[in-house]
Amino acid sequence: TSFVGDVAAANPSTPIRVDRSTDCPDTPALDDCTVTRFNATNGMFDIPDNNVILNPFTIEYAPNVLVQDVQVLLNITHTFDADLDVFLMGPTGTRVQLFTDVGGNGDNFIGTLLDDSAATAIDNAVVATPPFSGLFRPEEALAQFDGSPIAGTWTLEVADDLFNFEV
């Protein structure tokens, strides 16, 4: 079981996007308007059964620059998706539930882009199904980060909450 993230900080598919300007249109896609993209990982991480993985990353940025929008792009290879609970914590301690216990016995999150403006909620079992490729609305609003400082330590938390229940 692994969490896979992109490595190159300049890669447009990096997992965390934070708008630093209100000049950007409200769009669900990762675009080239005035944004800053930050990398949440630098490799693969095992997610052992019944364990929590904390993946902190520090964003060094001007202290007066505030978050306007956050999108999260995930690539997670995991059997039995419903085992996973995934959260993002910002530098001020705000903790947002991206998703918990979704996908039933399906596998993986491949190119899963979480954005508040997405039409489909990730916990909508009728239309949101593994491998969760594409655009989804997280279970809690990423807008909770809006107005908070970009600079500081962010943490992606990935938990496998069912012991020995994988297939």
Side-chain angles (χ1 to χ4, degrees):
T1 306
S2 300
F3 166 75
V4 181
D6 297 306
V7 184
N11 184 331
S13 65
T14 54
I16 304 296
R17 166 198 150 141
V18 181
D19 286 350
R20 58 182 169 88
S21 169
T22 55
D23 297 334
C24 292
D26 186 16
T27 175
L30 290 170
D31 54 32
D32 291 325
C33 65
T34 309
V35 299
T36 303
R37 294 180 176 99
F38 299 99
N39 197 1
T41 70
N42 55 6
M44 296 177 71
F45 299 89
D46 289 335
I47 307 170
D49 288 341
N50 205 29
N51 273 288
V52 176
I53 300 299
L54 300 176
N55 185 26
F57 58 102
T58 300
I59 296 175
E60 294 180 15
Y61 214 77
N64 59 337
V65 177
L66 304 179
V67 172
Q68 297 291 324
D69 185 49
V70 174
Q71 294 177 336
V72 179
L73 177 65
L74 298 172
N75 288 295
I76 301 174
T77 303
H78 190 279
T79 57
F80 207 88
D81 286 348
D83 284 0
L84 295 181
D85 299 336
V86 180
F87 298 84
L88 180 63
M89 188 178 334
T92 62
T94 300
R95 184 173 179 252
V96 172
Q97 177 178 303
L98 301 178
F99 56 85
T100 59
D101 307 318
V102 299
N105 63 357
D107 300 341
N108 306 324
F109 296 81
I110 306 299
T112 306
L113 179 60
L114 300 168
D115 186 293
D116 288 344
S117 64
T120 303
I122 197 158
D123 59 353
N124 181 337
V126 175
V127 291
T129 58
F132 295 101
S133 296
L135 184 63
F136 299 94
R137 191 172 56 252
E139 289 185 333
E140 292 183 353
L142 290 163
Q144 293 179 60
F145 295 119
D146 292 359
S148 64
I150 292 174
T153 299
W154 294 71
T155 302
L156 186 66
E157 176 184 328
V158 182
D160 182 314
D161 63 3
L162 291 179
F163 184 69
N164 288 331
F165 197 70
E166 294 195 23
V167 288

